[in-house]
Amino acid sequence: MTLIKRNPALNFPSIFEEFLKPDFFGGMQNFTGNVPAVNILENDTNFMVELAAPGLKKEDFEVEVDQQILTISAEVKNEVNETSENGKYSRREFSYQSFKRSFNLPETVNEEQIAATYENGVLKVMLPKKEEVLPKPKKLISIEG
């Protein structure tokens, strides 16, 4: 058996490691700074998508459903004006911030009753389940005989 010593200073990621990353085609690891974090909760009656987006207003968001795909997006434009005391220089800066997240909805979601709220920097989208997939109450069966 041959042992090969590795130099950690020369530890470059290989092309194979890039292909084996879980979201190679999605590219999410490259956009973590601009894409808000999401929690998805499920209970017996609905799914809840919680998206952390502090500093935005509810008017900044757009939530839409098309062909069982939920898309949450936001765009914010900020403009800063600065002038010196004697008025010799002026600076105007524009800043744009936007993101877009899409999620495939399961067929069990009732698209007609989806609702969203924005409070304390968290956008919550409630996705109720269809009646036919909700858990049925227990039924007591009598024994005849």
Side-chain angles (χ1 to χ4, degrees), residues 1-16:
M1 169 172 27
T2 305
L3 293 176
I4 300 174
K5 189 175 181 181
R6 272 184 102 170
N7 183 353
L10 299 175
N11 190 11
F12 296 109
S14 72
I15 190 75
F16 296 109

Side-chain angles (χ1 to χ4, degrees), residues 110-128:
N110 183 349
E111 293 181 12
E112 301 301 318
Q113 294 183 352
I114 294 174
T117 59
Y118 182 68
E119 185 177 343
N120 297 327
V122 178
L123 176 70
K124 293 182 179 181
V125 182
M126 190 192 59
L127 308 163

Side-chain angles (χ1 to χ4, degrees), residues 13-119:
S14 72
I15 190 75
F16 296 109
E17 289 174 10
E18 289 297 313
F19 278 116
L20 296 176
K21 285 187 178 176
D23 59 350
F24 175 74
F25 292 106
M28 285 301 298
Q29 74 276 7
N30 296 329
F31 299 108
T32 55
N34 295 334
V35 179
V38 171
N39 295 329
I40 300 176
L41 309 166
E42 179 183 5
N43 61 31
D44 290 340
T45 59
N46 60 46
F47 295 93
M48 177 71 73
V49 177
E50 298 175 329
L51 184 127
L56 299 180
K57 298 178 286 216
K58 69 177 186 176
E59 297 83 22
D60 297 331
F61 293 99
E62 185 173 298
V63 180
E64 62 183 28
V65 176
D66 186 27
Q67 298 179 4
Q68 291 186 313
I69 297 176
L70 172 69
T71 303
I72 302 171
S73 60
E75 184 174 353
V76 180
K77 299 176 185 178
N78 295 320
E79 190 175 306
V80 178
N81 292 318
E82 232 178 66
T83 307
S84 70
E85 292 177 11
N86 56 14
K88 289 188 176 182
Y89 68 88
S90 179
R91 182 177 78 189
R92 187 174 191 161
E93 293 183 351
F94 297 99
S95 140
Y96 298 96
Q97 175 186 1
S98 66
F99 70 86
K100 187 175 198 177
R101 299 279 317 250
S102 296
F103 305 92
N104 291 323
L105 297 179
E107 293 181 11
T108 59
V109 170
N110 183 349
E111 293 181 12
E112 301 301 318
Q113 294 183 352
I114 294 174
T117 59
Y118 182 68
E119 185 177 343

